[in-house]
Amino acid sequence: MATFILFLHIVGASFWIGSMLFLILVLHPFLRELLKEKKIFYRILRRYNFIGTTLILPFMLITGLLNLHYGVGIKEAFSGKGDYSRTFLLKFFLYWLVFALSVFHDYLVGPKGLEEERFRKVARFVGIANLLLSLTIAFLGVKLRFGG
Ligand code: HEM
Protein backbone atom coordinates (compact mmCIF):
# COMPACT_ATOMS: atom_id res chain seq x y z
CA MET A 1 0.00 0.00 0.00
CA ALA A 2 2.77 2.47 0.96
CA THR A 3 4.44 1.91 -2.44
CA PHE A 4 1.18 2.48 -4.30
CA ILE A 5 0.44 5.73 -2.41
CA LEU A 6 3.95 7.03 -3.09
CA PHE A 7 3.46 6.07 -6.75
CA LEU A 8 0.22 8.14 -6.88
CA HIS A 9 2.01 11.03 -5.14
CA ILE A 10 4.76 10.93 -7.80
CA VAL A 11 2.24 10.75 -10.67
CA GLY A 12 0.49 13.81 -9.16
CA ALA A 13 3.81 15.64 -8.85
CA SER A 14 4.67 14.77 -12.49
CA PHE A 15 1.38 16.24 -13.70
CA TRP A 16 1.67 19.35 -11.54
CA ILE A 17 5.25 20.20 -12.45
CA GLY A 18 5.15 18.73 -15.98
CA SER A 19 2.14 20.80 -17.00
CA MET A 20 3.70 23.97 -15.60
CA LEU A 21 6.93 23.34 -17.53
CA PHE A 22 4.89 22.69 -20.67
CA LEU A 23 2.90 25.91 -20.25
CA ILE A 24 5.90 28.09 -19.54
CA LEU A 25 8.44 26.59 -21.94
CA VAL A 26 6.26 25.33 -24.81
CA LEU A 27 2.97 27.23 -24.82
CA HIS A 28 4.07 30.62 -23.56
CA PRO A 29 5.86 31.77 -26.72
CA PHE A 30 2.53 31.36 -28.57
CA LEU A 31 0.49 33.17 -25.93
CA ARG A 32 -0.13 36.28 -28.01
CA GLU A 33 -1.35 34.18 -30.96
CA LEU A 34 -3.50 32.05 -28.68
CA LEU A 35 -5.08 35.12 -27.11
CA LYS A 36 -6.59 35.91 -30.52
CA GLU A 37 -8.46 32.62 -30.20
CA LYS A 38 -9.76 33.74 -26.82
CA LYS A 39 -12.78 31.48 -26.54
CA ILE A 40 -10.96 28.18 -26.98
CA PHE A 41 -7.94 29.38 -24.98
CA TYR A 42 -10.19 30.38 -22.06
CA ARG A 43 -11.70 26.90 -22.07
CA ILE A 44 -8.29 25.21 -22.11
CA LEU A 45 -7.07 27.33 -19.19
CA ARG A 46 -10.25 26.84 -17.20
CA ARG A 47 -9.97 23.08 -17.58
CA TYR A 48 -6.27 23.19 -16.73
CA ASN A 49 -6.94 25.30 -13.61
CA PHE A 50 -9.67 22.94 -12.51
CA ILE A 51 -7.56 19.80 -12.92
CA GLY A 52 -4.35 21.35 -11.58
CA THR A 53 -5.33 23.60 -8.69
CA THR A 54 -8.71 22.17 -7.72
CA LEU A 55 -7.98 18.46 -8.12
CA ILE A 56 -4.23 17.77 -8.12
CA LEU A 57 -3.18 20.06 -5.25
CA PRO A 58 -5.66 18.57 -2.73
CA PHE A 59 -4.71 15.13 -4.13
CA MET A 60 -1.05 15.90 -3.26
CA LEU A 61 -2.09 16.79 0.29
CA ILE A 62 -4.08 13.56 0.75
CA THR A 63 -1.42 11.27 -0.77
CA GLY A 64 1.28 13.21 1.13
CA LEU A 65 -0.45 12.67 4.48
CA LEU A 66 -0.95 8.99 3.59
CA ASN A 67 2.78 8.75 2.77
CA LEU A 68 3.41 9.93 6.32
CA HIS A 69 0.82 7.58 7.79
CA TYR A 70 2.52 4.59 6.13
CA GLY A 71 5.99 6.08 6.76
CA VAL A 72 7.36 7.89 9.80
CA GLY A 73 3.91 8.73 11.18
CA ILE A 74 1.96 12.00 11.06
CA LYS A 75 2.70 12.99 14.68
CA GLU A 76 6.45 12.47 14.26
CA ALA A 77 6.48 14.51 11.00
CA PHE A 78 4.75 17.49 12.65
CA SER A 79 6.87 17.28 15.84
CA GLY A 80 9.57 19.67 14.59
CA LYS A 81 12.24 17.33 15.97
CA GLY A 82 14.99 15.94 13.74
CA ASP A 83 15.98 16.49 10.09
CA TYR A 84 12.99 14.64 8.65
CA SER A 85 10.43 16.70 10.52
CA ARG A 86 12.17 20.04 9.83
CA THR A 87 12.41 19.29 6.09
CA PHE A 88 8.80 18.15 6.10
CA LEU A 89 7.54 21.31 7.86
CA LEU A 90 9.35 23.48 5.31
CA LYS A 91 7.79 21.43 2.50
CA PHE A 92 4.37 21.71 4.13
CA PHE A 93 4.69 25.49 4.48
CA LEU A 94 5.76 25.86 0.81
CA TYR A 95 2.84 23.66 -0.23
CA TRP A 96 0.35 26.12 1.30
CA LEU A 97 2.21 29.03 -0.26
CA VAL A 98 1.94 27.34 -3.68
CA PHE A 99 -1.73 26.64 -3.00
CA ALA A 100 -2.45 30.32 -2.20
CA LEU A 101 -0.44 31.56 -5.19
CA SER A 102 -2.21 29.09 -7.49
CA VAL A 103 -5.67 30.26 -6.44
CA PHE A 104 -4.54 33.90 -6.79
CA HIS A 105 -3.05 33.14 -10.23
CA ASP A 106 -5.79 30.92 -11.67
CA TYR A 107 -8.91 32.62 -10.41
CA LEU A 108 -7.91 36.27 -9.95
CA VAL A 109 -4.95 37.65 -11.79
CA GLY A 110 -4.83 35.06 -14.61
CA PRO A 111 -8.31 35.70 -16.08
CA LYS A 112 -7.73 39.48 -15.80
CA GLY A 113 -4.35 39.02 -17.49
CA LEU A 114 -6.09 37.77 -20.62
CA GLU A 115 -7.60 41.24 -20.96
CA GLU A 116 -5.04 43.64 -19.48
CA GLU A 117 -1.28 43.84 -19.92
CA ARG A 118 -0.44 44.85 -16.32
CA PHE A 119 -2.28 41.80 -14.94
CA ARG A 120 -0.61 39.61 -17.54
CA LYS A 121 2.79 40.62 -16.13
CA VAL A 122 1.73 39.81 -12.56
CA ALA A 123 0.25 36.48 -13.69
CA ARG A 124 3.50 35.63 -15.45
CA PHE A 125 5.61 36.48 -12.41
CA VAL A 126 3.36 34.48 -10.06
CA GLY A 127 3.33 31.54 -12.52
CA ILE A 128 7.13 31.39 -12.69
CA ALA A 129 7.46 31.80 -8.89
CA ASN A 130 5.00 28.93 -8.49
CA LEU A 131 7.04 26.68 -10.78
CA LEU A 132 10.24 27.40 -8.81
CA LEU A 133 8.48 26.80 -5.47
CA SER A 134 6.97 23.55 -6.78
CA LEU A 135 10.40 22.34 -7.91
CA THR A 136 11.69 23.14 -4.41
CA ILE A 137 8.79 21.13 -2.92
CA ALA A 138 9.67 18.16 -5.16
CA PHE A 139 13.33 18.47 -4.13
CA LEU A 140 12.33 18.47 -0.46
CA GLY A 141 10.18 15.37 -1.15
CA VAL A 142 13.21 13.55 -2.54
CA LYS A 143 15.22 14.77 0.47
CA LEU A 144 12.60 13.24 2.78
CA ARG A 145 12.96 9.96 0.92
CA PHE A 146 16.65 10.01 1.89
CA GLY A 147 15.85 10.72 5.51
CA GLY A 148 15.42 14.53 5.43
C1 HEM B 1 2.91 20.41 -5.05
C2 HEM B 1 2.90 19.54 -4.10
C3 HEM B 1 3.87 18.41 -3.93
C4 HEM B 1 4.84 17.92 -4.77
C5 HEM B 1 5.21 18.42 -6.16
C6 HEM B 1 5.47 16.79 -4.09
C7 HEM B 1 6.49 16.03 -4.62
C8 HEM B 1 7.09 14.96 -3.99
C9 HEM B 1 8.17 14.17 -4.54
C10 HEM B 1 8.81 14.37 -5.90
C11 HEM B 1 8.50 13.24 -3.61
C12 HEM B 1 9.66 12.24 -3.71
C13 HEM B 1 9.25 10.85 -3.92
C14 HEM B 1 10.44 9.91 -3.92
O1 HEM B 1 11.57 10.34 -4.12
O2 HEM B 1 10.22 8.74 -3.74
C15 HEM B 1 7.63 13.40 -2.48
C16 HEM B 1 7.65 12.63 -1.33
C17 HEM B 1 6.86 12.86 -0.23
N1 HEM B 1 5.92 13.85 -0.06
FE1 HEM B 1 5.38 15.22 -1.44
N2 HEM B 1 4.89 16.65 -2.86
C18 HEM B 1 3.91 17.61 -2.71
C19 HEM B 1 3.09 17.81 -1.61
C20 HEM B 1 3.15 17.09 -0.43
C21 HEM B 1 2.35 17.34 0.74
C22 HEM B 1 1.28 18.42 0.86
C23 HEM B 1 2.73 16.42 1.69
C24 HEM B 1 2.23 16.18 3.09
C25 HEM B 1 1.19 16.71 3.64
C26 HEM B 1 3.78 15.61 1.11
C27 HEM B 1 4.44 14.58 1.75
C28 HEM B 1 5.39 13.76 1.21
C29 HEM B 1 6.01 12.65 1.89
C30 HEM B 1 5.71 12.20 3.32
C31 HEM B 1 6.91 12.06 0.98
C32 HEM B 1 7.72 10.78 1.16
C33 HEM B 1 8.86 10.91 2.02
C34 HEM B 1 9.45 9.58 2.42
O3 HEM B 1 9.68 8.76 1.55
O4 HEM B 1 9.67 9.45 3.59
N3 HEM B 1 4.01 16.04 -0.17
N4 HEM B 1 6.79 14.48 -2.73
Side-chain angles (χ1 to χ4, degrees):
M1 191 63 175
T3 312
F4 184 62
I5 298 288
L6 187 58
F7 165 72
L8 291 181
H9 195 71
I10 291 173
V11 172
S14 313
F15 177 86
W16 178 247
I17 291 177
S19 60
M20 259 196 273
L21 284 172
F22 173 77
L23 268 177
I24 290 173
L25 298 178
V26 182
L27 213 58
H28 201 265
F30 304 103
L31 205 61
R32 272 173 214 282
E33 290 294 307
L34 286 166
L35 283 174
K36 288 179 197 147
E37 307 290 333
K38 259 189 194 150
K39 249 191 185 156
I40 184 83
F41 194 53
Y42 261 128
R43 287 176 59 199
I44 293 173
L45 286 184
R46 256 204 319 224
R47 188 172 163 79
Y48 171 69
N49 292 346
F50 175 71
I51 296 180
T53 304
T54 318
L55 292 183
I56 299 288
L57 279 184
F59 178 81
M60 295 309 290
L61 179 64
I62 294 165
T63 52
L65 289 172
L66 285 171
N67 277 339
L68 289 177
H69 174 72
Y70 289 109
V72 298
I74 294 184
K75 239 181 160 181
E76 173 73 30
F78 281 96
S79 72
K81 288 185 204 122
D83 288 346
Y84 191 97
S85 176
R86 275 192 289 273
T87 304
F88 168 73
L89 289 175
L90 176 59
K91 181 175 159 159
F92 196 62
F93 169 75
L94 292 182
Y95 167 80
W96 288 109
L97 187 59
V98 161
F99 200 104
L101 285 177
S102 298
V103 172
F104 177 67
H105 177 273
D106 295 359
Y107 295 104
L108 241 107
V109 85
K112 284 187 179 160
L114 291 175
E115 308 289 345
E116 277 182 62
E117 181 63 21
R118 62 196 173 115
F119 285 113
R120 202 171 74 83
K121 279 193 181 136
V122 180
R124 186 157 185 243
F125 177 77
V126 174
I128 292 173
N130 233 1
L131 170 66
L132 296 177
L133 287 170
S134 299
L135 285 171
T136 309
I137 292 177
F139 177 78
L140 293 176
V142 174
K143 225 165 159 282
L144 287 177
R145 190 97 197 108
F146 288 105

